[in-house]
Structures are given as C-alpha cells and as structure tokens.
Amino acid sequence: MYKLSDIKRIHLEITSKCQASCPMCSRNMQGGVVNPWLVEDEITIEQFKEWISPEFIKQLTVLYVCGNLGDAIVAKDTLAIFQYLRKHNPNLFLELHTNGSAKSKQWWEDLAKENVRVTFGIDGLADTHSLYRIGTVWDKIIENARAFIAAGGSANWHMLIFDHNKHQVEQCEALSVELGFREFKAKNSARFKDTGLVVLTKKGTTSHILYPTDRSIEIRKNVVDSIQSAPVITCKAKEENSLYIGANGNLTPCCWLDMPAGNPTYSYIIDYANKIGMTPNLKVNTLEEIMSSEYFNKIENLMGFDPLIRCATQCGKVSPTTEQFK
C-alpha cells in the first residue's frame, strides 16, 4: 500500500479516556451507559519515544491528535509528547482536536508555546453546549481557550448544529471573533436519524432527546444515497500517505479500521477479522516491522473486488444493506 519512507501524516490518539459522554461517541451507549467493550488505554511519553524515532518525526509534515474514543487533554503526557515532536521537527504542523474542558490555564499557555493549533468542539453557548458534550463545562472551556489564545495560540471553534442550538450559530461566531479564534465553523451532523436520539443517564434512564436539524436529515439521506451508488473506494489514507496510531498501540491506515470498543458480533468487525486477522500493534512489533509486513497490502488488495465493510461504508464503495452494519 505504501512504504515507511512514504509516510507524511500521522493521526494520533494519545488516550481512549475522556471526561465527556457525548451520545454518539463509541465510548458509551447513548451518553450515559459505558460501552461494555471499552478498554481504556493511554500512550506515555516513554512509549511514544520507543515507537516513534526522531528520524521518523523529521520526515513528517502533519501530526494531528484527535480522539477516536478519548480526548488527549485528560492524558498525563500529552504536552510532553507535543514537546518531543516539536523538538525534532520545528516545521511539523501540529494540531489538537479537543472538548477543551480540562487542564490548567498554565497547561494551555505551555501548549501555545509549542505552536500547536487547537480545534475546540464548542456546541453552543452555556445553556446548550452540554446537551451533547455531556460532562464538559462551558465556562471552563472558554477560560482555557482565552488562556491559550492570550499566550499566542492559534485556535479554531467548531460547532455541531442540532435543533436545540441552531438559533445560536451567529452568536457563537460573534463570540469566537471577540475571543480571538482564527476560524469558526458550524456543521450539521449527519449522524442522527430524523426521529432523534434518546440520551441516557448513568443509570440508563432517559435524560433528554437530541433532534437533528432539517439540514442534518438532508445530509444523512445524501450520504446514504452516495454510499449505495458510488462506484469506487477512494482511500484518503493512501492519498495522504498517512497512518493512524491508536491509544492501545494499534497501527492502521485510518481511525475507521481501529475498532477496540466495537461489539464483536457486529458484521464489520467479523468481516475485518476474517479478511485481515489481527491488527498490528506497536507494543508487539516495531513501526518498521509493521510497515514491511503484508498488512497494508491485504487491505488494498481487497478494495477492487471484495473491500472491507468498513472501507465500503466510509469511503464510498457500493455497500451491502444498512442492516448489516448494526
């Protein structure tokens, strides 16, 4: 699929731990009930140095930290890992995607010194934000963002739009300008069905219901239609020469193929196990050993005639019926 020397981008998940319980995240079941298949992991600075050499860091152009299951700001060594990366590649573009609701002001000021761009997920104002970002504190996020920006940090504000916060988009954008964010983006989520999502408490009882916007429903329909009609898979990981490193040490082309918290009876997990076998892991083999194995070739060789279900559903190949992905 590609060689180690080709790799230019890394998507890194430092931890699968998180203080939040966002209803559509795989770490929990509709917000309140913990996913029984979740095993929390965290990459230490010692592990990262063992896995990722200074020589490899020097060939990279982009490394972004975005949680598949967790948020890096709850991990112990996130700042140390960014410092290690910056030390060995002053020109490397570094980015962190986060809910922003943890760590001290000093931590955020120190992060700004490493020239790390931060994208904060802020879904509304104080009265609406935590209806989706359950477990986060809006005032704390704004305090941290202020500290980061005041210390010279470059910050983006990304907002998911739901029915309950759609009236606040203009206010949020105005506030982002006032606070000094470099960019504001509002996005309608295609994850929710038009019937809405019942959000659960820790005890499994109903907390509230999240409803999508009309635009979200339209986008979801278009996504489903395109999956069913698209003729080929376009592998973004191959196009970008990128790798994904999971908090458990798994090494895959992208985050969609790392499924540590999935129900083992799901068809896409069974499909992956049957066609690929075990996922390579940096705790077992070195980066060089994994990249010289047949793992990536197996995935690519399937794309033309019998692609992985996960590749088909996420990257446009004609897919089996939606029922198969439960």
Side-chain angles (χ1 to χ4, degrees):
M1 193 168 185
Y2 35 49
K3 304 186 298 292
L4 181 60
S5 59
D6 294 331
I7 303 303
K8 299 301 179 185
R9 299 169 62 98
I10 296 291
H11 175 186
L12 174 66
E13 178 174 53
I14 293 177
T15 182
S16 55
K17 301 173 184 177
C18 191
Q19 84 282 44
S21 298
C22 303
M24 287 303 292
C25 179
S26 298
R27 65 175 294 103
N28 51 63
M29 313 296 283
Q30 295 177 227
V33 181
V34 176
N35 185 333
W37 295 281
L38 174 68
V39 176
E40 292 189 333
D41 291 284
E42 185 170 313
I43 299 173
T44 65
I45 182 62
E46 292 78 18
Q47 283 178 318
F48 192 74
K49 287 181 177 180
E50 181 182 342
W51 298 346
I52 307 299
S53 69
E55 291 71 28
F56 180 65
I57 293 171
K58 290 172 185 176
Q59 79 180 47
L60 299 176
T61 58
V62 175
L63 185 142
Y64 63 101
V65 175
C66 183
N68 204 18
L69 294 167
D71 194 308
I73 60 171
V74 304
K76 178 174 69 72
D77 290 339
T78 295
L79 180 59
I81 288 172
F82 277 125
Q83 290 169 336
Y84 172 67
L85 290 162
R86 179 58 69 216
K87 175 183 177 181
H88 293 291
N89 191 338
N91 298 317
L92 179 60
F93 179 83
L94 297 172
E95 184 167 14
L96 168 66
H97 290 249
T98 177
N99 63 54
S101 186
K103 291 292 191 278
S104 66
K105 290 172 63 177
Q106 184 62 57
W107 187 92
W108 286 98
E109 290 168 359
D110 290 342
L111 183 67
K113 296 174 184 176
E114 302 306 322
N115 191 21
V116 178
R117 181 172 294 174
V118 176
T119 295
F120 291 84
I122 311 176
D123 299 336
L125 300 175
D127 59 331
T128 61
H129 166 79
S130 296
L131 289 174
Y132 181 71
R133 305 274 178 176
I134 298 168
T136 66
V137 180
W138 190 86
D139 288 338
K140 174 66 173 171
I141 299 165
I142 298 302
E143 177 185 273
N144 290 339
R146 284 182 186 274
F148 178 73
I149 293 169
S154 176
N156 299 330
W157 177 326
H158 284 189
M159 175 182 179
L160 291 178
I161 309 174
F162 303 96
D163 190 62
H164 64 263
N165 66 2
K166 62 185 181 183
H167 62 290
Q168 295 179 335
V169 173
E170 291 184 3
Q171 290 174 275
C172 288
E173 183 170 13
L175 180 58
S176 75
V177 173
E178 178 185 329
L179 293 174
F181 281 84
R182 65 173 292 277
E183 176 185 89
F184 175 86
K185 281 188 177 181
K187 178 182 178 181
N188 288 271
S189 174
R191 293 187 175 190
F192 296 98
K193 297 180 180 179
D194 54 3
T195 53
L197 177 74
V198 175
V199 179
L200 302 177
T201 66
K202 297 293 183 184
K203 295 181 179 179
T205 58
T206 298
S207 170
H208 56 281
I209 301 176
L210 293 176
Y211 291 101
T213 62
D214 290 341
R215 177 59 179 153
S216 290
I217 295 170
E218 180 185 348
I219 292 172
R220 181 181 176 85
K221 181 181 182 302
N222 289 340
V223 168
V224 172
D225 289 346
S226 65
I227 287 172
Q228 293 175 343
S229 61
V232 295
I233 291 176
T234 301
C235 181
K236 185 177 179 182
K238 185 178 180 181
E239 285 188 341
E240 296 182 343
N241 289 319
S242 64
L243 292 175
Y244 171 80
I245 301 173
N248 58 0
N250 280 354
L251 185 74
T252 59
C254 67
C255 64
W256 295 112
L257 293 182
D258 186 34
M259 302 167 280
N263 184 329
T265 66
Y266 284 175
S267 63
Y268 62 82
I269 293 181
I270 295 172
D271 175 70
Y272 180 91
N274 288 339
K275 294 175 180 175
I276 304 299
M278 295 291 291
T279 299
N281 190 284
L282 289 165
K283 294 178 182 178
V284 179
N285 296 104
T286 67
L287 180 61
E288 291 77 10
E289 289 171 340
I290 294 171
M291 291 303 299
S292 62
S293 72
E294 285 301 305
Y295 170 72
F296 294 95
N297 288 333
K298 281 184 182 180
I299 295 172
E300 184 175 25
N301 291 340
L302 289 167
M303 288 184 182
F305 67 99
D306 186 23
L308 292 170
I309 289 176
R310 202 66 157 174
C311 293
T313 55
Q314 298 302 329
C315 295
K317 180 69 177 179
V318 174
S319 65
T321 62
T322 307
E323 285 299 307
Q324 288 184 275
F325 309 128
K326 289 184 177 179

